[in-house]
Amino acid sequence: MILIEHVMDVISRCCDRTAVLDFGRLVTEGTTQDVLADPVVAALYLGSLGADAPDDNGTALPSAGSMTALISVGGDDEHDGPLLSVQDVVVAYGDLQAIKGVSFDIARGECVALLGANGAGKSTMARAIAGAQPLRSGTIAFAGRSIAGLRPDRVTALGVAQCLEGRKIFGTLSIEENLIAGALGAPKPVVAERLEGIYDLFPVLKERRRSPGTALSGGQQQMLAIGRALMSAPRLVVFDEISLGLSPIAVDEVYAALVGIRASGAAMIVVEQSVDRALKVADRALVLSQGEITLQGTPMELLADERLLASYLG
Ligand code: ATP
C-alpha cells in the first residue's frame, strides 16, 4: 500500500517506510521510526521561530491607529472576569466526542493559539464558540453572559466575530457588499468608518471594491473574510485555519494583519495547523489532542516542551 496521510498516528502505526515532501521536494525518506525522529521533519511540522516572522520579513504592518477606530475594545461591560470562559465543554457528532470536557479562559486583548494535529478538535471548538456547533454539555460565557445555544449571528452581535474555515465569500455580492454584510445593520456613517478601517488594513480590497468577492485570489479572499469579520467591531475574533491553502507570501500578509489587529486590543483565538505562525502572534497557546487540552503555556514554554512535537508526530 501507498498511504498519503497527514495524521502521524496512522502513519506510525501502519507504515514501514515514509517519504516526506515539502513544496514538491523530497525532504527525507527512510524507516518510519527514523523519519519521525528527524529534526528536519519536526521543523516542517512545527516550523521554528526564525527570520521569516511576519513582523520582521519586510511585510508592511498595518498601523494600529487605523484599527483602533475599527474595533471596539473593552470598557463597555461591567464584567470583571475573563472575556471568554469555556467550562467543561463537550461537543459530539453522534457517538463521537470531538471535544471531551474542555475548559479555558481568555482575557481582554489576549491572543490565544489553539493548536493540535489533524482531527484534534480545533475547528469543532472554534465553531462551538462561534455558535455554529451545539454543545452536548458545558458552558461558554462571553463577558459574563452565556452564549451557549445562541445562533452565530446573535453571538456576533454580542462581540464575537468569526472567520471560520472555508472563507464563505458571497459570490453574487461585490467585495464592498461582502464587507457591509459583516456590519450587521450598523448605521451608515458607522459602516463607512469601518470600511475605511478595513481598506487601510487591506488596500487591495479598496482598489477592487466593485468586483465580485470571488474574483479575488485565495489570499485576497481570506483578507475579505477577515475584513468582513472585523466589520462587526468585535471584541473577540475567532480565526480558523486562515493560512490553509494560501501561498507563503499570502500567509505573511494575512498574519501581518493579525499583528495589527492584536495591537488594536481585540482578543483573538487563532486555530492553526502551522504552529510557528500561530506562536509568533499568540500570547498563549493551548494544544488539543483527541478532544482534550494536553498542553498549554506561552509560546516559549511550548517550543521548549518536547510534548508539543509528540502531540503532532506521535
Ligand atoms: P483539522 O486540522 O484536520 O481540521 P481539527 O483539529 O480541526 O482537524 P475537527 O475538524 O474539529 O479537528 O475534528 C475533530 C473530530 O471530529 C475528528 O475526529 C473529525 O473526524 C470529527 N468531525 C469533525 N466534523 C465532523 C462532522 N461534521 N461529522 C462527524 N465527525 C466530524
Side-chain angles (χ1 to χ4, degrees):
M1 288 195 296
I2 298 177
L3 198 61
I4 296 170
E5 183 57 69
H6 283 295
V7 181
M8 289 298 178
D9 253 6
V10 175
I11 295 171
S12 62
R13 276 184 283 145
C14 297
C15 301
D16 304 311
R17 290 168 30 79
T18 297
V20 178
L21 292 173
D22 184 44
F23 282 98
R25 192 171 50 90
L26 180 65
V27 176
T28 184
E29 63 178 321
T31 65
T32 297
Q33 204 183 8
D34 286 350
V35 166
L36 294 186
D38 187 334
V40 175
V41 176
L44 280 181
Y45 269 77
L46 301 187
S48 56
L49 288 178
D52 63 341
D55 46 354
D56 59 13
N57 67 353
T59 308
L61 292 183
S63 77
S66 64
M67 295 305 299
T68 311
L70 181 66
I71 299 171
S72 59
V73 186
D76 55 352
D77 73 89
E78 319 232 302
H79 176 67
D80 287 335
L83 185 64
L84 184 82
S85 177
V86 173
Q87 291 300 320
D88 302 320
V89 163
V90 175
V91 182
Y93 301 101
D95 290 339
L96 175 89
Q97 278 200 0
I99 298 292
K100 302 171 182 161
V102 162
S103 302
F104 62 90
D105 289 342
I106 294 186
R108 284 169 183 69
E110 191 179 27
C111 177
V112 173
L114 204 50
L115 307 174
N118 289 97
K122 306 179 297 294
S123 297
T124 300
M125 192 68 244
R127 287 201 302 272
I129 293 168
Q133 192 70 50
L135 309 188
R136 183 66 57 93
S137 60
T139 59
I140 302 181
F142 178 70
R145 174 182 171 166
S146 173
I147 56 170
L150 294 187
R151 290 196 322 248
D153 59 319
R154 294 298 312 143
V155 174
T156 304
L158 289 173
V160 183
Q162 44 185 289
C163 194
L164 298 185
E165 208 175 333
R167 298 174 207 143
K168 301 188 175 62
I169 302 302
F170 301 119
T172 53
L173 300 185
S174 70
I175 288 167
E176 189 153 291
E177 288 164 342
N178 264 279
L179 289 172
I180 293 170
L184 303 178
K188 266 190 171 174
V190 174
V191 171
E193 190 187 333
R194 290 183 192 166
L195 275 175
E196 278 317 305
I198 302 295
Y199 290 148
D200 277 354
L201 185 64
F202 299 121
V204 67
L205 299 184
K206 184 171 191 174
E207 284 158 28
R208 309 200 50 197
R209 63 185 182 279
R210 308 260 174 257
S211 311
T214 44
L216 296 169
S217 70
Q220 291 165 348
Q221 285 192 29
Q222 192 59 273
M223 291 172 193
L224 178 55
I226 294 172
R228 192 176 55 191
L230 296 177
M231 284 294 286
S232 61
R235 288 156 61 206
L236 171 68
V237 193
V238 183
F239 295 104
D240 188 9
E241 307 265 16
I242 52 172
S243 63
L244 207 66
L246 301 187
S247 69
I249 290 173
V251 178
D252 283 348
E253 286 173 358
V254 162
Y255 266 83
L258 290 205
V259 173
I261 297 164
R262 189 185 68 164
S264 77
M268 300 197 280
I269 298 177
V270 180
V271 173
E272 258 300 346
Q273 282 274 329
S274 169
V275 177
D276 63 333
R277 292 280 182 187
L279 290 185
K280 277 174 197 158
V281 80
D283 301 305
R284 193 160 59 91
L286 310 170
V287 181
L288 277 175
S289 248
Q290 297 181 9
E292 292 175 288
I293 294 180
T294 49
L295 201 57
Q296 53 184 308
T298 64
M300 292 318 279
E301 284 166 353
L302 285 195
L303 284 169
D305 194 323
E306 59 194 24
R307 288 173 298 171
L308 176 66
L309 185 59
S311 71
Y312 278 80
L313 301 188

